[in-house]
Amino acid sequence: MKNKDIFYDIYSEFYNVNKFRELKNVVHHGTNRLEHITRVAKLSFIISRKLNLDYISCTRGAILHDFFTSEDANRSDGKYRDFLKKHPIQALTNSKEYFELNEVESDIILSHMYPITKEKPKYAESKVVCITDKLVSYYEFFRYQLNFTANFAFIFLLKFIRF
């Protein structure tokens, strides 16, 4: 089975849930939350497969790491930092409402904002998603302001995760 097929087999479980598909209507880093999650999940999938980790749990956790539909991420007031700290708990609550999670997947969701939150990643898979989320977020925030070399590097990285 090809990587692309394996990834989309995992991804389809989530995409078939209406609440999850609503994420495409939420602005996130200049795109939408569903696109952000998909980028993080694809890159986490590839890295975890290459490192011989539990790529299924890693991918599932990455898919659910920002599973919330509120618009709080767009706040410009002083409460944005509070939002950054609290949204992993909201994402975990939503995830448990719609899906069954194992310990690794729950840890991925709760710890993906480390070091902004105090929840340190306990598993290698959690560390992969934590770092991948930062890389993808950095790209999404600055893709239009990066110089050519930096932008080229991120575009190459994102093309790599397209399988």
mmCIF file of all heavy atoms in Angstrom, residues 21-63:
data_model
loop_
_atom_site.group_PDB
_atom_site.id
_atom_site.type_symbol
_atom_site.label_atom_id
_atom_site.label_comp_id
_atom_site.label_asym_id
_atom_site.label_seq_id
_atom_site.Cartn_x
_atom_site.Cartn_y
_atom_site.Cartn_z
ATOM 1 N N ARG A 21 -15.504 18.346 9.582
ATOM 2 C CA ARG A 21 -15.492 19.084 8.313
ATOM 3 C C ARG A 21 -15.784 20.568 8.503
ATOM 4 O O ARG A 21 -15.386 21.391 7.686
ATOM 5 C CB ARG A 21 -16.475 18.466 7.314
ATOM 6 C CG ARG A 21 -15.969 17.173 6.708
ATOM 7 C CD ARG A 21 -16.763 16.765 5.486
ATOM 8 N NE ARG A 21 -18.201 16.813 5.663
ATOM 9 C CZ ARG A 21 -18.950 15.798 6.109
ATOM 10 N NH1 ARG A 21 -18.382 14.640 6.397
ATOM 11 N NH2 ARG A 21 -20.255 15.919 6.239
ATOM 12 N N GLU A 22 -16.448 20.932 9.599
ATOM 13 C CA GLU A 22 -16.713 22.344 9.896
ATOM 14 C C GLU A 22 -15.429 23.151 10.064
ATOM 15 O O GLU A 22 -15.444 24.370 9.947
ATOM 16 C CB GLU A 22 -17.557 22.486 11.167
ATOM 17 C CG GLU A 22 -18.993 22.087 11.018
ATOM 18 C CD GLU A 22 -19.763 22.189 12.325
ATOM 19 O OE1 GLU A 22 -19.332 22.945 13.235
ATOM 20 O OE2 GLU A 22 -20.793 21.507 12.452
ATOM 21 N N LEU A 23 -14.323 22.473 10.322
ATOM 22 C CA LEU A 23 -13.046 23.164 10.520
ATOM 23 C C LEU A 23 -12.613 23.931 9.280
ATOM 24 O O LEU A 23 -11.830 24.871 9.378
ATOM 25 C CB LEU A 23 -11.960 22.167 10.935
ATOM 26 C CG LEU A 23 -12.181 21.465 12.272
ATOM 27 C CD1 LEU A 23 -11.108 20.409 12.495
ATOM 28 C CD2 LEU A 23 -12.221 22.450 13.419
ATOM 29 N N LYS A 24 -13.131 23.573 8.127
ATOM 30 C CA LYS A 24 -12.756 24.303 6.911
ATOM 31 C C LYS A 24 -13.391 25.691 6.885
ATOM 32 O O LYS A 24 -13.007 26.532 6.078
ATOM 33 C CB LYS A 24 -13.069 23.520 5.649
ATOM 34 C CG LYS A 24 -14.509 23.314 5.335
ATOM 35 C CD LYS A 24 -14.651 22.515 4.050
ATOM 36 C CE LYS A 24 -15.937 21.719 4.086
ATOM 37 N NZ LYS A 24 -16.026 20.762 3.025
ATOM 38 N N ASN A 25 -14.330 25.957 7.772
ATOM 39 C CA ASN A 25 -14.977 27.270 7.848
ATOM 40 C C ASN A 25 -14.345 28.176 8.907
ATOM 41 O O ASN A 25 -14.820 29.293 9.117
ATOM 42 C CB ASN A 25 -16.464 27.096 8.165
ATOM 43 C CG ASN A 25 -17.177 26.278 7.106
ATOM 44 O OD1 ASN A 25 -16.907 26.430 5.916
ATOM 45 N ND2 ASN A 25 -18.061 25.401 7.524
ATOM 46 N N VAL A 26 -13.307 27.710 9.578
ATOM 47 C CA VAL A 26 -12.668 28.488 10.641
ATOM 48 C C VAL A 26 -11.326 29.003 10.140
ATOM 49 O O VAL A 26 -10.466 28.218 9.736
ATOM 50 C CB VAL A 26 -12.464 27.622 11.912
ATOM 51 C CG1 VAL A 26 -11.823 28.436 13.021
ATOM 52 C CG2 VAL A 26 -13.782 27.014 12.376
ATOM 53 N N VAL A 27 -11.147 30.309 10.176
ATOM 54 C CA VAL A 27 -9.879 30.914 9.753
ATOM 55 C C VAL A 27 -8.784 30.516 10.740
ATOM 56 O O VAL A 27 -8.986 30.517 11.958
ATOM 57 C CB VAL A 27 -10.003 32.461 9.696
ATOM 58 C CG1 VAL A 27 -8.672 33.096 9.351
ATOM 59 C CG2 VAL A 27 -11.065 32.863 8.688
ATOM 60 N N HIS A 28 -7.640 30.162 10.198
ATOM 61 C CA HIS A 28 -6.528 29.692 11.034
ATOM 62 C C HIS A 28 -5.220 29.978 10.298
ATOM 63 O O HIS A 28 -4.982 29.412 9.226
ATOM 64 C CB HIS A 28 -6.685 28.189 11.276
ATOM 65 C CG HIS A 28 -5.821 27.628 12.354
ATOM 66 N ND1 HIS A 28 -6.207 27.631 13.670
ATOM 67 C CD2 HIS A 28 -4.607 27.061 12.320
ATOM 68 C CE1 HIS A 28 -5.262 27.058 14.402
ATOM 69 N NE2 HIS A 28 -4.269 26.702 13.598
ATOM 70 N N HIS A 29 -4.395 30.865 10.839
ATOM 71 C CA HIS A 29 -3.084 31.193 10.256
ATOM 72 C C HIS A 29 -3.183 31.633 8.797
ATOM 73 O O HIS A 29 -2.357 31.259 7.972
ATOM 74 C CB HIS A 29 -2.114 30.020 10.350
ATOM 75 C CG HIS A 29 -1.879 29.530 11.730
ATOM 76 N ND1 HIS A 29 -1.146 28.407 11.973
ATOM 77 C CD2 HIS A 29 -2.244 29.973 12.951
ATOM 78 C CE1 HIS A 29 -1.090 28.175 13.270
ATOM 79 N NE2 HIS A 29 -1.752 29.123 13.885
ATOM 80 N N GLY A 30 -4.199 32.384 8.469
ATOM 81 C CA GLY A 30 -4.336 32.875 7.106
ATOM 82 C C GLY A 30 -4.889 31.858 6.130
ATOM 83 O O GLY A 30 -4.948 32.094 4.932
ATOM 84 N N THR A 31 -5.280 30.718 6.610
ATOM 85 C CA THR A 31 -5.879 29.672 5.780
ATOM 86 C C THR A 31 -7.125 29.209 6.524
ATOM 87 O O THR A 31 -7.835 30.027 7.080
ATOM 88 C CB THR A 31 -4.854 28.549 5.497
ATOM 89 O OG1 THR A 31 -5.447 27.562 4.663
ATOM 90 C CG2 THR A 31 -4.275 27.910 6.718
ATOM 91 N N ASN A 32 -7.409 27.930 6.568
ATOM 92 C CA ASN A 32 -8.484 27.441 7.437
ATOM 93 C C ASN A 32 -7.935 26.310 8.292
ATOM 94 O O ASN A 32 -6.889 25.730 8.001
ATOM 95 C CB ASN A 32 -9.728 27.037 6.630
ATOM 96 C CG ASN A 32 -9.530 25.823 5.768
ATOM 97 O OD1 ASN A 32 -9.260 24.733 6.262
ATOM 98 N ND2 ASN A 32 -9.665 25.998 4.457
ATOM 99 N N ARG A 33 -8.638 26.040 9.372
ATOM 100 C CA ARG A 33 -8.129 25.077 10.343
ATOM 101 C C ARG A 33 -7.996 23.680 9.746
ATOM 102 O O ARG A 33 -7.068 22.948 10.075
ATOM 103 C CB ARG A 33 -9.035 25.055 11.570
ATOM 104 C CG ARG A 33 -8.407 24.302 12.722
ATOM 105 C CD ARG A 33 -8.977 24.647 14.069
ATOM 106 N NE ARG A 33 -8.665 26.018 14.403
ATOM 107 C CZ ARG A 33 -9.504 26.834 15.044
ATOM 108 N NH1 ARG A 33 -10.679 26.406 15.446
ATOM 109 N NH2 ARG A 33 -9.152 28.067 15.308
ATOM 110 N N LEU A 34 -8.864 23.301 8.827
ATOM 111 C CA LEU A 34 -8.773 21.974 8.219
ATOM 112 C C LEU A 34 -7.501 21.844 7.382
ATOM 113 O O LEU A 34 -6.823 20.809 7.438
ATOM 114 C CB LEU A 34 -10.012 21.679 7.379
ATOM 115 C CG LEU A 34 -10.126 20.260 6.835
ATOM 116 C CD1 LEU A 34 -10.152 19.241 7.971
ATOM 117 C CD2 LEU A 34 -11.373 20.123 5.989
ATOM 118 N N GLU A 35 -7.158 22.884 6.620
ATOM 119 C CA GLU A 35 -5.914 22.842 5.837
ATOM 120 C C GLU A 35 -4.700 22.758 6.752
ATOM 121 O O GLU A 35 -3.754 22.014 6.477
ATOM 122 C CB GLU A 35 -5.804 24.079 4.943
ATOM 123 C CG GLU A 35 -6.696 24.038 3.739
ATOM 124 C CD GLU A 35 -6.512 25.241 2.827
ATOM 125 O OE1 GLU A 35 -5.442 25.881 2.877
ATOM 126 O OE2 GLU A 35 -7.441 25.534 2.067
ATOM 127 N N HIS A 36 -4.708 23.533 7.847
ATOM 128 C CA HIS A 36 -3.596 23.496 8.802
ATOM 129 C C HIS A 36 -3.429 22.089 9.384
ATOM 130 O O HIS A 36 -2.339 21.525 9.387
ATOM 131 C CB HIS A 36 -3.824 24.508 9.929
ATOM 132 C CG HIS A 36 -2.907 24.328 11.090
ATOM 133 N ND1 HIS A 36 -1.580 24.721 11.055
ATOM 134 C CD2 HIS A 36 -3.108 23.772 12.314
ATOM 135 C CE1 HIS A 36 -1.018 24.414 12.210
ATOM 136 N NE2 HIS A 36 -1.917 23.837 12.984
ATOM 137 N N ILE A 37 -4.527 21.525 9.842
ATOM 138 C CA ILE A 37 -4.493 20.178 10.424
ATOM 139 C C ILE A 37 -3.979 19.168 9.409
ATOM 140 O O ILE A 37 -3.171 18.293 9.745
ATOM 141 C CB ILE A 37 -5.900 19.789 10.931
ATOM 142 C CG1 ILE A 37 -6.210 20.517 12.230
ATOM 143 C CG2 ILE A 37 -6.037 18.288 11.096
ATOM 144 C CD1 ILE A 37 -7.629 20.350 12.700
ATOM 145 N N THR A 38 -4.421 19.282 8.186
ATOM 146 C CA THR A 38 -4.002 18.334 7.151
ATOM 147 C C THR A 38 -2.502 18.445 6.887
ATOM 148 O O THR A 38 -1.812 17.426 6.743
ATOM 149 C CB THR A 38 -4.818 18.549 5.862
ATOM 150 O OG1 THR A 38 -6.217 18.419 6.181
ATOM 151 C CG2 THR A 38 -4.453 17.540 4.799
ATOM 152 N N ARG A 39 -1.972 19.659 6.835
ATOM 153 C CA ARG A 39 -0.522 19.830 6.644
ATOM 154 C C ARG A 39 0.264 19.200 7.796
ATOM 155 O O ARG A 39 1.242 18.487 7.583
ATOM 156 C CB ARG A 39 -0.166 21.315 6.545
ATOM 157 C CG ARG A 39 -0.498 21.952 5.239
ATOM 158 C CD ARG A 39 0.029 23.399 5.200
ATOM 159 N NE ARG A 39 -0.364 24.030 3.971
ATOM 160 C CZ ARG A 39 -1.292 24.990 3.879
ATOM 161 N NH1 ARG A 39 -1.899 25.441 4.952
ATOM 162 N NH2 ARG A 39 -1.594 25.493 2.705
ATOM 163 N N VAL A 40 -0.168 19.484 9.020
ATOM 164 C CA VAL A 40 0.515 18.926 10.194
ATOM 165 C C VAL A 40 0.416 17.403 10.184
ATOM 166 O O VAL A 40 1.401 16.704 10.454
ATOM 167 C CB VAL A 40 -0.072 19.514 11.500
ATOM 168 C CG1 VAL A 40 0.501 18.808 12.727
ATOM 169 C CG2 VAL A 40 0.194 21.019 11.587
ATOM 170 N N ALA A 41 -0.749 16.883 9.856
ATOM 171 C CA ALA A 41 -0.946 15.428 9.852
ATOM 172 C C ALA A 41 -0.095 14.736 8.794
ATOM 173 O O ALA A 41 0.516 13.698 9.057
ATOM 174 C CB ALA A 41 -2.421 15.097 9.651
ATOM 175 N N LYS A 42 -0.041 15.309 7.592
ATOM 176 C CA LYS A 42 0.768 14.691 6.529
ATOM 177 C C LYS A 42 2.241 14.662 6.896
ATOM 178 O O LYS A 42 2.918 13.636 6.725
ATOM 179 C CB LYS A 42 0.586 15.438 5.208
ATOM 180 C CG LYS A 42 -0.710 15.149 4.504
ATOM 181 C CD LYS A 42 -0.790 15.925 3.199
ATOM 182 C CE LYS A 42 -2.027 15.623 2.418
ATOM 183 N NZ LYS A 42 -2.076 16.382 1.142
ATOM 184 N N LEU A 43 2.749 15.780 7.375
ATOM 185 C CA LEU A 43 4.166 15.828 7.738
ATOM 186 C C LEU A 43 4.461 14.907 8.922
ATOM 187 O O LEU A 43 5.465 14.194 8.928
ATOM 188 C CB LEU A 43 4.585 17.270 8.047
ATOM 189 C CG LEU A 43 6.074 17.519 8.273
ATOM 190 C CD1 LEU A 43 6.920 17.014 7.106
ATOM 191 C CD2 LEU A 43 6.322 19.016 8.502
ATOM 192 N N SER A 44 3.580 14.873 9.899
ATOM 193 C CA SER A 44 3.747 13.971 11.052
ATOM 194 C C SER A 44 3.704 12.509 10.616
ATOM 195 O O SER A 44 4.468 11.677 11.119
ATOM 196 C CB SER A 44 2.653 14.234 12.094
ATOM 197 O OG SER A 44 2.761 15.536 12.607
ATOM 198 N N PHE A 45 2.815 12.197 9.691
ATOM 199 C CA PHE A 45 2.712 10.841 9.152
ATOM 200 C C PHE A 45 4.039 10.420 8.515
ATOM 201 O O PHE A 45 4.579 9.347 8.818
ATOM 202 C CB PHE A 45 1.573 10.777 8.123
ATOM 203 C CG PHE A 45 1.513 9.503 7.342
ATOM 204 C CD1 PHE A 45 0.910 8.375 7.870
ATOM 205 C CD2 PHE A 45 2.049 9.417 6.057
ATOM 206 C CE1 PHE A 45 0.844 7.187 7.147
ATOM 207 C CE2 PHE A 45 1.983 8.247 5.329
ATOM 208 C CZ PHE A 45 1.380 7.129 5.873
ATOM 209 N N ILE A 46 4.562 11.261 7.639
ATOM 210 C CA ILE A 46 5.816 10.936 6.937
ATOM 211 C C ILE A 46 6.971 10.771 7.927
ATOM 212 O O ILE A 46 7.728 9.791 7.853
ATOM 213 C CB ILE A 46 6.156 12.024 5.896
ATOM 214 C CG1 ILE A 46 5.130 12.043 4.777
ATOM 215 C CG2 ILE A 46 7.561 11.861 5.347
ATOM 216 C CD1 ILE A 46 5.093 10.800 3.909
ATOM 217 N N ILE A 47 7.109 11.711 8.849
ATOM 218 C CA ILE A 47 8.217 11.655 9.812
ATOM 219 C C ILE A 47 8.090 10.424 10.701
ATOM 220 O O ILE A 47 9.075 9.705 10.920
ATOM 221 C CB ILE A 47 8.280 12.951 10.650
ATOM 222 C CG1 ILE A 47 8.686 14.123 9.760
ATOM 223 C CG2 ILE A 47 9.248 12.797 11.833
ATOM 224 C CD1 ILE A 47 8.555 15.486 10.416
ATOM 225 N N SER A 48 6.905 10.164 11.206
ATOM 226 C CA SER A 48 6.739 9.015 12.111
ATOM 227 C C SER A 48 6.962 7.688 11.389
ATOM 228 O O SER A 48 7.491 6.744 11.976
ATOM 229 C CB SER A 48 5.370 9.049 12.802
ATOM 230 O OG SER A 48 4.323 9.005 11.862
ATOM 231 N N ARG A 49 6.589 7.609 10.120
ATOM 232 C CA ARG A 49 6.873 6.384 9.336
ATOM 233 C C ARG A 49 8.377 6.213 9.156
ATOM 234 O O ARG A 49 8.902 5.113 9.300
ATOM 235 C CB ARG A 49 6.202 6.442 7.958
ATOM 236 C CG ARG A 49 4.719 6.357 7.974
ATOM 237 C CD ARG A 49 4.092 5.100 7.560
ATOM 238 N NE ARG A 49 4.576 4.482 6.338
ATOM 239 C CZ ARG A 49 4.172 3.295 5.951
ATOM 240 N NH1 ARG A 49 3.296 2.629 6.662
ATOM 241 N NH2 ARG A 49 4.628 2.762 4.851
ATOM 242 N N LYS A 50 9.068 7.305 8.824
ATOM 243 C CA LYS A 50 10.525 7.238 8.608
ATOM 244 C C LYS A 50 11.263 6.845 9.888
ATOM 245 O O LYS A 50 12.305 6.191 9.828
ATOM 246 C CB LYS A 50 11.057 8.575 8.099
ATOM 247 C CG LYS A 50 10.506 8.976 6.756
ATOM 248 C CD LYS A 50 11.544 8.865 5.692
ATOM 249 C CE LYS A 50 10.970 9.372 4.377
ATOM 250 N NZ LYS A 50 11.205 8.502 3.282
ATOM 251 N N LEU A 51 10.735 7.270 11.036
ATOM 252 C CA LEU A 51 11.380 6.976 12.320
ATOM 253 C C LEU A 51 10.889 5.671 12.955
ATOM 254 O O LEU A 51 11.249 5.352 14.082
ATOM 255 C CB LEU A 51 11.141 8.134 13.301
ATOM 256 C CG LEU A 51 11.766 9.473 12.915
ATOM 257 C CD1 LEU A 51 11.356 10.557 13.912
ATOM 258 C CD2 LEU A 51 13.287 9.357 12.827
ATOM 259 N N ASN A 52 10.050 4.928 12.230
ATOM 260 C CA ASN A 52 9.487 3.660 12.732
ATOM 261 C C ASN A 52 8.735 3.828 14.046
ATOM 262 O O ASN A 52 8.828 2.996 14.948
ATOM 263 C CB ASN A 52 10.582 2.593 12.880
ATOM 264 C CG ASN A 52 11.132 2.177 11.547
ATOM 265 O OD1 ASN A 52 10.381 1.968 10.598
ATOM 266 N ND2 ASN A 52 12.443 2.086 11.457
ATOM 267 N N LEU A 53 7.969 4.916 14.136
ATOM 268 C CA LEU A 53 7.136 5.161 15.308
ATOM 269 C C LEU A 53 5.721 4.659 15.022
ATOM 270 O O LEU A 53 5.444 4.149 13.935
ATOM 271 C CB LEU A 53 7.107 6.665 15.610
ATOM 272 C CG LEU A 53 8.448 7.313 15.922
ATOM 273 C CD1 LEU A 53 8.287 8.823 16.084
ATOM 274 C CD2 LEU A 53 9.060 6.714 17.182
ATOM 275 N N ASP A 54 4.847 4.828 15.985
ATOM 276 C CA ASP A 54 3.443 4.464 15.808
ATOM 277 C C ASP A 54 2.804 5.542 14.926
ATOM 278 O O ASP A 54 2.240 6.520 15.413
ATOM 279 C CB ASP A 54 2.756 4.379 17.172
ATOM 280 C CG ASP A 54 1.274 4.059 17.088
ATOM 281 O OD1 ASP A 54 0.729 3.946 15.967
ATOM 282 O OD2 ASP A 54 0.647 3.942 18.163
ATOM 283 N N TYR A 55 2.916 5.375 13.620
ATOM 284 C CA TYR A 55 2.463 6.402 12.685
ATOM 285 C C TYR A 55 0.945 6.560 12.682
ATOM 286 O O TYR A 55 0.435 7.634 12.366
ATOM 287 C CB TYR A 55 2.983 6.136 11.262
ATOM 288 C CG TYR A 55 2.408 4.909 10.612
ATOM 289 C CD1 TYR A 55 1.241 4.979 9.873
ATOM 290 C CD2 TYR A 55 3.037 3.678 10.723
ATOM 291 C CE1 TYR A 55 0.701 3.858 9.266
ATOM 292 C CE2 TYR A 55 2.510 2.550 10.129
ATOM 293 C CZ TYR A 55 1.346 2.643 9.398
ATOM 294 O OH TYR A 55 0.819 1.529 8.819
ATOM 295 N N ILE A 56 0.223 5.530 13.054
ATOM 296 C CA ILE A 56 -1.236 5.650 13.092
ATOM 297 C C ILE A 56 -1.651 6.581 14.230
ATOM 298 O O ILE A 56 -2.405 7.532 14.027
ATOM 299 C CB ILE A 56 -1.914 4.269 13.206
ATOM 300 C CG1 ILE A 56 -1.642 3.448 11.947
ATOM 301 C CG2 ILE A 56 -3.425 4.415 13.457
ATOM 302 C CD1 ILE A 56 -2.125 2.012 12.000
ATOM 303 N N SER A 57 -1.131 6.339 15.435
ATOM 304 C CA SER A 57 -1.455 7.222 16.559
ATOM 305 C C SER A 57 -0.921 8.624 16.335
ATOM 306 O O SER A 57 -1.582 9.614 16.664
ATOM 307 C CB SER A 57 -0.871 6.662 17.867
ATOM 308 O OG SER A 57 -1.525 5.479 18.230
ATOM 309 N N CYS A 58 0.259 8.725 15.754
ATOM 310 C CA CYS A 58 0.855 10.026 15.470
ATOM 311 C C CYS A 58 -0.029 10.820 14.505
ATOM 312 O O CYS A 58 -0.322 12.000 14.723
ATOM 313 C CB CYS A 58 2.262 9.845 14.910
ATOM 314 S SG CYS A 58 3.195 11.381 14.787
ATOM 315 N N THR A 59 -0.487 10.166 13.467
ATOM 316 C CA THR A 59 -1.332 10.829 12.472
ATOM 317 C C THR A 59 -2.694 11.179 13.053
ATOM 318 O O THR A 59 -3.192 12.292 12.863
ATOM 319 C CB THR A 59 -1.492 9.931 11.226
ATOM 320 O OG1 THR A 59 -0.202 9.591 10.733
ATOM 321 C CG2 THR A 59 -2.300 10.623 10.146
ATOM 322 N N ARG A 60 -3.282 10.262 13.788
ATOM 323 C CA ARG A 60 -4.587 10.535 14.409
ATOM 324 C C ARG A 60 -4.486 11.708 15.382
ATOM 325 O O ARG A 60 -5.346 12.596 15.380
ATOM 326 C CB ARG A 60 -5.112 9.294 15.137
ATOM 327 C CG ARG A 60 -5.615 8.191 14.220
ATOM 328 C CD ARG A 60 -5.985 6.933 15.017
ATOM 329 N NE ARG A 60 -6.879 7.222 16.126
ATOM 330 C CZ ARG A 60 -8.205 7.230 16.053
ATOM 331 N NH1 ARG A 60 -8.805 6.935 14.913
ATOM 332 N NH2 ARG A 60 -8.943 7.512 17.109
ATOM 333 N N GLY A 61 -3.450 11.729 16.204
ATOM 334 C CA GLY A 61 -3.266 12.844 17.145
ATOM 335 C C GLY A 61 -3.060 14.161 16.422
ATOM 336 O O GLY A 61 -3.595 15.205 16.818
ATOM 337 N N ALA A 62 -2.291 14.127 15.336
ATOM 338 C CA ALA A 62 -2.058 15.339 14.545
ATOM 339 C C ALA A 62 -3.355 15.835 13.918
ATOM 340 O O ALA A 62 -3.616 17.046 13.876
ATOM 341 C CB ALA A 62 -1.010 15.069 13.465
ATOM 342 N N ILE A 63 -4.166 14.920 13.447
ATOM 343 C CA ILE A 63 -5.446 15.297 12.837
ATOM 344 C C ILE A 63 -6.361 15.976 13.859
ATOM 345 O O ILE A 63 -7.111 16.891 13.525
ATOM 346 C CB ILE A 63 -6.134 14.062 12.213
ATOM 347 C CG1 ILE A 63 -5.360 13.598 10.972
ATOM 348 C CG2 ILE A 63 -7.594 14.344 11.876
ATOM 349 C CD1 ILE A 63 -5.786 12.234 10.441
#
